[in-house]
């Protein structure tokens, strides 16, 4: 399986749509990120990329929990 960068935090993850969430930010790669505007909610992740990036900048993952150590 190929590896890609998480579209939210850049952590290397498997290129496996709907696979395991990113271990750092909890975003689930769907392979459809480019179909949504950055401020548009993703039906699978339930938040927009902009919302999750703002949480990431605040030291939190997609669910608002503290980020793990990288």
């Amino acid at each position: 399986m190929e590896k890609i960068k998480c579209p939210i935090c850049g952590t290397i993850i498997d290129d496996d749509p709907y696979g395991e969430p990113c271990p750092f930010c909890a975003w689930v790669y769907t392979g459809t990120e480019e179909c949504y505007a950055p401020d548009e909610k993703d039906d699978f992740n339930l938040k927009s990329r902009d919302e999750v990036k703002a949480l990431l900048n605040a030291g939190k993952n997609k669910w608002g929990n503290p980020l793990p150590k990288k």
Side-chain angles (χ1 to χ4, degrees):
M1 181 168 294
E2 288 187 43
K3 301 285 187 180
I4 61 168
K5 286 185 178 183
C6 171
I8 303 299
C9 68
T11 299
I12 302 299
I13 59 173
D14 289 332
D15 184 5
D16 181 18
Y18 305 103
E20 292 292 317
C22 173
F24 189 69
C25 71
W27 183 264
V28 177
Y29 172 69
T30 64
T32 62
E33 282 79 6
E34 66 280 348
C35 295
Y36 294 92
D39 63 346
E40 188 176 1
K41 288 190 179 187
D42 176 318
D43 293 337
F44 192 78
N45 284 290
L46 306 177
K47 295 187 179 192
S48 72
R49 286 177 286 159
D50 283 351
E51 288 174 309
V52 180
K53 285 181 180 182
L55 285 166
L56 186 69
N57 288 335
K60 299 176 182 179
N61 71 10
K62 176 176 86 173
W63 302 116
N65 298 320
L67 290 171
K69 300 284 183 201
K70 233 182 183 185

